[in-house]
Amino acid sequence: MLKIGDKEFKSRLFTGTGKFSDNATMKAALEASESELVTVALKRVDTDNEDDDILRHLGHERINLLPNTSGVRDAKEAVFVAQLAREALGTNWVKLEIHPDPKYLMPDPIETLKATEELAKLGFIVLPYIHADPVLCKRLEDAGTSAVMPLGAPIGSNRGLRTQDFLEIIVEQSNVPVVVDAGIGAPSDAAKAMELGADAVLVNTAIAVSPNPVEMGVAFKMAVEAGRMAYEAKLAQAKNFAEASSPLTGFLDEL
Amino acid sequence: MTFYEKFKEYDWERIKSDIYSKTARDVEHALSKDKRDLEDFKALVSPAAMPYLEQMAQLSHRLTQKRFGKTIQMYVPMYLSNECQNICTYCGFSLDNKIPRITLRPEQIEREMKVIKKMGYEHLLLVTGEANQTVGVPYFEKVLDQVREEFSHISMEVQPMDQTDYEKLIDKGLNTVLVYQETYHQEDYKKHHPKGKKSNFQYRIDTPDRLGKAGIHKIGLGVLIGLEDWRTDCFHVAAHLDYLEKTYWKTKYSISFPRLRPFSGGMEPKVVMDDRELVQLICAYRIFNEEVEISLSTRERETFRDNVIKLGVTSLSAGSKTNPGGYSEEKDSLEQFEISDERSAQDIASMIQRQGYEPVWKDWDMALS
C-alpha cells in the first residue's frame, strides 16, 4: 500500500482530467483505470456551481480529488489558489504546479520551493510538480513536502522517461513518495517507472487522447501493477562481473 | 526522529542469521546489480561471499577509480589529551588504567603543529579522551582558534556533544567529526563501557543526527572490530550510513573499521578478523556505496596497507603518533594503541606514487567552511 500524508492507496496509478473528449468518457476511463487520486485544475471547476460537470463525474466513492494550481505563475498566486481549492473542494491536498512559461509549461523550481514551504506551514499535503532535479527534491523534503512529482519528459509530450538517470537518483535518495509525472506516453513507460522504484505515476494525456480511453485506462492499470510487482520481486540484472586482469587479492596468500 | 528509532526495529540475532544464511546466488545477485541495497550488503559481507573475493576486489577497484580517480587523501592525528572519565575495556586511555595523564597546553600544541606541518599535512585530526572538565567545549574552541590558520581541514575524534556545542565548534572552523559507535550490540556495549558518559548508548548512536542538524561538513562512522560479530556490526554501520545520507543530504560521510590492537593493560578481542575478511569488508562497503570515503589508519600492517590502496580505500594516515605530544616531545609516553605501520609520511607518499596514485595533502580550504 502506498501512503501519502494520512491516506493509503491501493492503486499506484494517479490520473488527470484534462483533454478528454467529454466528461462521460473521462468518467468511464478513470473508473476503468481504478485510479484513486485524480487531479483536477481549479481553473476548470466552476466553484460556484454545485452541479459542476467535471466534479459531478468525479463523484465516485473511491476517487480522491487532487486540485492543481495550473495557471499560476508564482508562489503567491499558487498559495492563493490552493487556499481557494481547499475552501471549494474541501480537501487540503494540492498538486502544486507553477509554470510561468506558457509554451512548454516548465515548472519553476524557485517559486515551487517557496510555495511548498508556505503551504506545508498552512497544513497542506503538497505534491509539487517539478523537474527531475535530485537536489530540488531534497530541498522540498526539508520544506515539508508530502511527495515529489518529477517529470519524465515535457508535459503532454508522450516521450517517456527521458529523465531516467535523474529519476533513479531521486528514487534512491528520497524519504517521501516519488510520483513520476508528465511525459508518460505508453503503458510500457509507466511499467518502466515502476520497475525503477517510483512509488506511483501520474498519467493524463496518454489515456485522454487515446481513441479508446477506457481500454487505455485498463492498460495503464495493468502496466503499473506489473511494474510494481517486478520491482518488489527484484529484477534480474544483466551480469557485469569483472574480468580479473591481474589479481588484486593475490597478496593475501603471501601475508 | 533519529537513527535510534530506526535502530530499535533491528533485531541483532535476526540480522546475524540473515547474513550467515546468504548463499552464493545472493552474492552473485548483489554483484551483478547496478545499485545495491542493505540486503545486498548482507550478502557481500557474508561468509558465502568469500569465494568471490577477487571479483569483489575488481569491482571495488573500478568503482573507487570511477568516483575518486587515482588519489589517496592524507591525514594525521594530533592527540591533545589522554585524560578520560570513561572505562572502556579495550582502550589504553581508560580511567582505570594507571598512566600519567597529559593535556597539551597552547605552547605544546604549537610545537606539535610545527612538526606535523613539516611532514606536509594540511588535514589534521584532533583526538582526545572523554574528559569534559578539562577537554570540553571551551578547550576545543581555543584549540580551533590556534590550529585553523595553519591547516586546511580540521577533523575531531572526541566525546559526543550536544547540537549547540557542535554549532559553536563549526563556527570556529571544525569541518569533520568522527564518532565511532564501537559496537551496535546494545547489551554488550554496556559491558564494554561500564562507567562514564560513554555508557549512554543512545546518546552516542544519535550523535551523527546532532551533527547533521548542526550542519557539519563531514561525519565519520565505524565500529571497533573485535568487540562483536563484525559482520553484524558492520551491517549496522551500513544501515546508519544509508539513513544519514538520506536525512542529512548535504553532509559527506566516511567510514573506518579499526581492528582492535594491543594496548597497555589490554583486552583480548572477542572475535578476530583476518586480513582476507578485512579486504572483504572494504570491498563490501565500496560496492554498497560508491561515494563514501574509506579510511585506514596506521593500525594496519605495511604490506596490507600497500595493497589495499587499489581496493577501495581513499584516505590514509601516516607517520602517526597516538600519544599527546608524541610528535615533538613525549617520545616515550603511553600510546592509545600500538601502531603497526611506522613508516614516515614521506615514505607512505612515495609508496602511493609508486602505485600510480597521487597522495593528496590538501583537498579543502578554510574559505569553504
Side-chain angles (χ1 to χ4, degrees):
Chain A
M1 289 279 260
L2 167 63
K3 190 161 190 248
I4 301 179
D6 53 354
K7 284 200 176 119
E8 287 191 341
F9 298 92
K10 275 197 221 107
S11 165
R12 291 172 181 270
L13 173 61
F14 299 166
T15 49
T17 49
K19 302 187 188 175
F20 284 95
S21 57
D22 59 82
N23 286 338
T25 306
M26 174 193 79
K27 177 184 165 75
L30 298 187
E31 283 184 9
S33 76
E34 294 182 18
S35 174
E36 294 166 308
L37 191 67
V38 177
T39 180
V40 55
L42 185 76
K43 67 180 183 181
R44 281 196 61 198
V45 177
D46 181 356
T47 50
D48 294 331
N49 178 2
E50 282 183 16
D51 284 331
D52 174 82
D53 203 35
I54 286 194
L55 291 185
R56 205 156 45 78
H57 282 90
L58 293 175
H60 188 285
E61 57 186 19
R62 193 186 61 235
I63 291 178
N64 294 282
L65 281 189
L66 177 63
N68 72 47
T69 63
S70 175
V72 308
R73 288 156 301 172
D74 60 27
K76 200 172 152 202
E77 289 178 4
V79 172
F80 180 65
V81 167
Q83 285 170 317
L84 275 183
R86 178 157 70 176
E87 286 293 311
L89 304 176
T91 174
N92 63 342
W93 284 53
V94 62
K95 182 188 173 195
L96 187 58
E97 286 188 36
I98 306 180
H99 24 68
D101 134 49
K103 188 175 175 190
Y104 291 106
L105 306 178
M106 289 284 123
D108 182 328
I110 296 164
E111 295 298 318
T112 302
L113 179 61
K114 273 196 227 164
T116 300
E117 270 168 5
E118 181 86 25
L119 289 168
K121 276 186 209 148
L122 294 169
F124 280 89
I125 302 295
V126 188
L127 290 86
Y129 167 57
I130 48 168
H131 279 280
D133 178 339
V135 172
L136 179 61
C137 287
K138 296 310 283 186
R139 295 284 302 257
L140 287 164
E141 268 184 33
D142 293 346
T145 197
S146 294
V148 287
M149 303 184 83
L151 53 77
I155 193 165
S157 70
N158 291 334
R159 287 159 78 178
L161 305 183
R162 295 296 168 108
T163 58
Q164 183 175 331
D165 288 356
F166 305 102
L167 292 174
E168 286 176 16
I169 296 171
I170 291 169
V171 165
E172 183 195 328
Q173 295 184 335
S174 190
N175 285 317
V176 295
V178 177
V179 183
V180 177
D181 184 9
I184 290 178
S188 53
D189 297 333
K192 180 77 187 171
M194 299 307 294
E195 285 170 6
L196 294 179
D199 296 280
V201 293
L202 195 152
V203 182
N204 183 180
T205 304
I207 297 175
V209 304
S210 159
N212 191 337
V214 174
E215 275 194 22
M216 193 54 89
V218 176
F220 269 102
K221 168 183 113 71
M222 293 164 78
V224 168
E225 286 171 358
R228 180 65 189 181
M229 199 181 287
Y231 172 74
E232 285 173 356
K234 297 191 185 291
L235 296 178
Q237 299 283 330
K239 288 208 172 182
N240 58 355
F241 271 33
E243 286 167 28
S245 43
S246 53
L248 288 167
T249 54
F251 75 98
L252 289 165
D253 300 328
E254 285 139 37
L255 283 179
Chain B
M1 168 94 182
T2 62
F3 180 68
Y4 189 64
E5 299 301 313
K6 215 174 174 65
F7 169 80
K8 282 193 289 190
E9 294 166 14
Y10 293 133
D11 179 79
W12 180 278
E13 291 304 324
R14 214 203 66 225
I15 289 167
K16 187 172 173 183
S17 132
D18 282 356
I19 293 171
Y20 283 85
S21 55
K22 289 288 179 190
T23 63
R25 200 177 145 164
D26 297 322
V27 179
E28 287 185 18
H29 180 73
L31 285 174
S32 58
K33 289 169 84 172
D34 290 330
K35 293 266 178 192
R36 288 93 187 167
D37 57 23
L38 285 165
E39 275 310 302
D40 297 319
F41 183 81
K42 287 178 186 168
L44 294 170
V45 287
S46 73
M50 265 304 167
Y52 296 87
L53 196 57
E54 179 61 25
Q55 276 167 351
M56 286 176 68
Q58 295 286 346
L59 180 55
S60 176
H61 170 71
R62 275 192 289 130
L63 294 174
T64 308
Q65 285 213 347
K66 185 174 90 181
R67 168 66 181 78
F68 295 89
K70 293 186 155 197
T71 62
I72 296 287
Q73 305 251 4
M74 304 294 292
Y75 74 96
V76 74
M78 186 205 282
Y79 279 71
L80 295 169
S81 172
N82 60 8
E83 292 196 47
C84 194
Q85 297 304 316
N86 292 312
I87 291 182
C88 302
T89 55
Y90 48 80
C91 179
F93 290 176
S94 192
L95 177 66
D96 54 351
N97 204 4
K98 300 298 169 209
I99 53 162
R101 302 288 174 167
I102 302 164
T103 296
L104 297 188
R105 297 183 306 277
E107 60 275 18
Q108 292 172 299
I109 293 173
E110 202 62 41
R111 286 198 285 274
E112 292 284 277
M113 283 202 301
K114 274 195 185 132
V115 179
I116 288 172
K117 285 289 281 188
K118 259 194 199 145
M119 293 159 82
Y121 285 105
E122 283 288 339
H123 289 209
L124 183 68
L125 167 65
L126 302 171
V127 188
T128 67
E130 299 197 7
N132 283 302
Q133 298 302 319
T134 37
V135 283
V137 176
Y139 179 81
F140 294 134
E141 284 183 301
K142 279 183 203 143
V143 172
L144 286 169
D145 279 340
Q146 192 178 355
V147 302
R148 73 172 170 182
E149 295 299 321
E150 294 294 327
F151 293 92
S152 303
H153 186 111
I154 298 165
S155 309
M156 265 191 172
E157 189 180 338
V158 304
Q159 69 272 29
M161 288 177 244
D162 293 341
Q163 185 185 331
T164 48
D165 292 332
Y166 285 131
E167 284 163 1
K168 281 183 205 162
L169 299 181
I170 291 166
D171 278 350
K172 289 280 182 187
L174 177 63
N175 305 117
T176 295
V177 171
L178 313 179
V179 56
Y180 303 136
Q181 187 58 32
E182 318 296 13
T183 176
Y184 285 79
H185 191 298
Q186 192 161 359
E187 283 161 32
D188 279 23
Y189 179 92
K190 287 194 184 101
K191 289 182 201 156
H192 292 297
H193 309 95
K195 190 178 177 300
K197 206 176 169 187
K198 193 168 173 179
S199 60
N200 186 340
F201 179 86
Q202 188 181 344
Y203 187 73
R204 192 167 186 94
I205 207 171
D206 280 342
T207 307
D209 276 279
R210 296 193 299 278
L211 283 161
K213 286 180 186 135
I216 192 90
H217 171 63
K218 184 158 68 184
I219 301 174
L221 306 171
V223 287
L224 184 54
I225 305 279
L227 297 184
E228 285 306 325
D229 177 69
W230 65 265
R231 295 185 162 93
T232 313
D233 244 343
C234 290
F235 165 83
H236 284 86
V237 176
H240 205 162
L241 173 68
D242 206 44
Y243 157 84
L244 291 168
E245 270 192 339
K246 283 186 182 162
T247 311
Y248 309 103
W249 56 279
K250 292 178 193 168
T251 298
K252 286 176 81 169
Y253 299 91
S254 71
I255 41 178
S256 178
F257 15 73
R259 287 193 281 189
L260 195 51
R261 296 280 308 158
F263 70 97
S264 169
M267 174 197 110
E268 282 302 308
K270 177 174 168 183
V271 291
V272 175
M273 170 196 252
D274 67 26
D275 289 339
R276 198 167 279 274
E277 290 169 336
L278 182 50
V279 166
Q280 180 191 9
L281 181 63
I282 292 170
C283 297
Y285 275 125
R286 172 60 65 229
I287 295 169
F288 171 68
N289 186 315
E290 295 181 22
E291 285 79 31
V292 72
E293 293 181 13
I294 297 179
S295 83
L296 200 69
S297 79
T298 51
R299 286 168 183 254
E300 300 301 339
R301 283 184 293 166
E302 289 186 24
T303 332
F304 189 85
R305 281 175 26 112
D306 292 2
N307 282 286
V308 293
I309 284 176
K310 288 190 170 142
L311 295 185
V313 166
T314 58
S315 67
L316 286 181
S317 55
S320 307
K321 302 290 178 194
T322 66
N323 53 325
Y327 295 100
S328 58
E329 47 191 33
E330 299 285 343
K331 301 288 183 212
D332 301 320
S333 81
L334 191 92
E335 299 167 318
Q336 188 191 24
F337 57 87
E338 286 174 24
I339 62 171
S340 200
D341 183 348
E342 302 204 8
R343 288 173 292 178
S344 72
Q346 280 311 319
D347 284 349
I348 297 288
S350 307
M351 178 275 288
I352 291 169
Q353 280 163 337
R354 279 199 302 278
Q355 299 208 40
Y357 281 67
E358 180 195 4
V360 175
W361 300 93
K362 179 176 185 294
D363 190 33
W364 193 249
D365 194 279
M366 269 304 152
L368 298 166
S369 297

